[in-house]
Amino acid sequence: MTRLTEEDVLLAVKQAAAPRSGYIGDVIQRRHAFAARGGAIAGHPPTRAIILRRLRSLEKSGLLKCIGGPDGMYGFEWSITKAGHMVISEMTS
């Protein structure tokens, strides 16, 4: 399997139904399943712990900000910073 990158996670934050860890993880799991069905990748999908590590790394880089603690159901709430939006626009253009 290809390694889950910070860019993958940053895009998942933008595409998630809500900017919470649970929804972000769902986007990543669906992408993995789609790629695995197409034969592009193999192996297990990223765990919640790996996804949270990438989110925390993006926070340390100043691309995300954690704005809410875990609610027990959907996890932490995240906000994309101005710098994060700039990176996303560069990746998608």
Side-chain angles (χ1 to χ4, degrees):
M1 180 185 138
T2 59
R3 187 173 159 251
L4 180 67
T5 66
E6 289 182 351
E7 291 81 11
D8 294 333
V9 176
L10 189 59
L11 282 174
V13 173
K14 182 173 173 63
Q15 296 170 345
R20 293 202 163 273
S21 300
Y23 293 110
I24 296 163
D26 184 55
V27 170
I28 292 168
Q29 300 293 334
R30 287 173 187 264
R31 279 192 205 151
H32 178 86
F34 181 78
R37 280 192 304 272
I41 59 173
H44 296 285
T47 63
R48 286 189 233 171
I50 291 172
I51 295 167
L52 184 57
R53 262 187 249 138
R54 298 296 182 274
L55 288 165
R56 290 293 183 197
S57 178
L58 287 164
E59 182 181 32
K60 287 179 185 175
S61 300
L63 302 177
L64 288 181
K65 182 177 181 184
C66 185
I67 56 173
D71 67 359
M73 185 72 151
Y74 300 105
F76 294 95
E77 187 171 354
W78 303 91
S79 175
I80 302 172
T81 64
K82 194 173 195 176
H85 282 292
M86 289 173 52
V87 169
I88 290 171
S89 68
E90 290 173 8
M91 289 187 320
T92 57
S93 60

